[in-house]
Amino acid sequence: MHTQLINHYFGLLAAIAAALLASACGHRVDLTRAYLQQVQAVDGGQKRIRVLLSHRIRLEHGAPLDSEARVDGRLHLTHTERSLLSTYGRRVRGKILATKHIDGRRYIWVSFDRKCRLLVCAFRFAEHPSRKLFVLQGLPETLPPGATGKMYRGLKAHPLEFGQPEPQASFPAWFATTNDDDDEYLMIHLDLRVASPLRRRKKRWPRGWARVD
């Protein structure tokens, strides 16, 4: 038991150190059109870049029915439906599969699964009218009908709703939720990790000495 506590303690320290190192090497920013253009300006940049979700989401959807058959002069069928959960955290890296302009608006398809390489199994994000965000606008088409979702802010879950909460007639509906505590409107958008420049430490010379190159 004592050994397990020590291993858990050192594992926690390693995780904290890794998090501090990651934060020191870069920071998260909202993916905007300007950042996307900079990524696309680099040869092969869109294929190599990885994007992140602003909030953790969990989708609940039914799996295909399991059926059993029994025959005793008649056919008896028994169906059992299983419920599956799919969770996508803030640290799950997504790959941009495609970017398109449809009816004058920019859309991004992102895959958060290495097995997903087609648009039908990817999440669709639409550019917000402010051009400052790409918000979640469509779930994977491969999900069964009736799939529901929740968005997490910390440990608290908020049900995802699909609608047009802002009076933007030209903008399609998107997924979002409302914070019950302060009626804050929460949207799920894409983030990007930007590397922080390394700072060179200035070399200090002893007082009274002159530097000679």
Side-chain angles (χ1 to χ4, degrees):
M1 182 67 180
H2 183 65
T3 304
Q4 293 179 352
L5 290 177
I6 293 177
N7 293 335
H8 176 73
Y9 176 74
F10 280 106
L12 182 61
L13 288 180
I16 294 175
L20 292 176
L21 181 61
S23 61
C25 297
H27 59 283
R28 294 172 66 130
V29 297
D30 298 334
L31 178 61
T32 62
R33 177 183 292 193
Y35 279 119
L36 181 61
Q37 290 175 346
Q38 293 182 27
V39 169
Q40 293 176 333
V42 179
D43 186 21
Q46 182 170 306
K47 294 182 180 180
R48 297 196 302 266
I49 197 69
R50 295 295 180 265
V51 293
L52 306 167
L53 288 173
S54 60
H55 297 81
R56 178 166 60 99
I57 60 175
R58 174 174 291 180
L59 303 178
E60 181 175 357
H61 48 89
L65 296 178
D66 294 335
S67 60
E68 295 181 358
R70 180 172 57 88
V71 178
D72 58 356
R74 293 174 298 178
L75 177 62
H76 300 267
L77 297 177
T78 303
H79 299 285
T80 303
E81 184 176 2
R82 297 177 291 113
S83 180
L84 296 180
L85 295 175
S86 301
T87 303
Y88 304 87
R90 295 183 70 244
R91 296 184 180 180
V92 177
R93 304 194 307 167
K95 180 179 181 180
I96 299 177
L97 298 183
T99 57
K100 294 183 180 181
H101 282 84
I102 302 177
D103 296 332
R105 191 167 305 281
R106 189 185 302 261
Y107 292 85
I108 297 179
W109 280 262
V110 178
S111 169
F112 294 97
D113 187 352
R114 294 182 179 180
K115 299 179 181 179
C116 172
R117 300 180 180 180
L118 302 176
L119 301 188
V120 292
C121 58
F123 291 80
R124 184 173 67 254
F125 294 82
E127 188 177 17
H128 193 269
S130 64
R131 297 186 179 182
K132 296 181 179 180
L133 297 172
F134 282 92
V135 297
L136 180 61
Q137 197 266 336
L139 298 178
E141 299 178 11
T142 53
L143 288 177
T148 60
K150 293 181 179 180
M151 187 197 77
Y152 287 81
R153 193 177 189 183
L155 298 178
K156 189 173 182 180
H158 305 271
L160 275 181
E161 298 179 357
F162 184 74
Q164 194 170 12
E166 297 183 8
Q168 297 286 347
S170 61
F171 188 75
W174 65 79
F175 285 94
T177 188
T178 303
N179 190 352
D180 298 332
D181 297 334
D182 51 10
D183 293 332
E184 181 184 3
Y185 191 74
L186 304 175
M187 295 179 295
I188 300 174
H189 59 273
L190 290 176
D191 285 345
L192 191 69
R193 186 172 293 280
V194 178
S196 300
L198 297 177
R199 296 182 179 180
R200 294 184 177 181
R201 298 182 60 183
K202 296 182 179 179
K203 187 174 182 179
R204 296 184 179 181
W205 296 89
R207 183 176 297 180
W209 288 71
R211 178 176 179 179
V212 179
D213 296 329

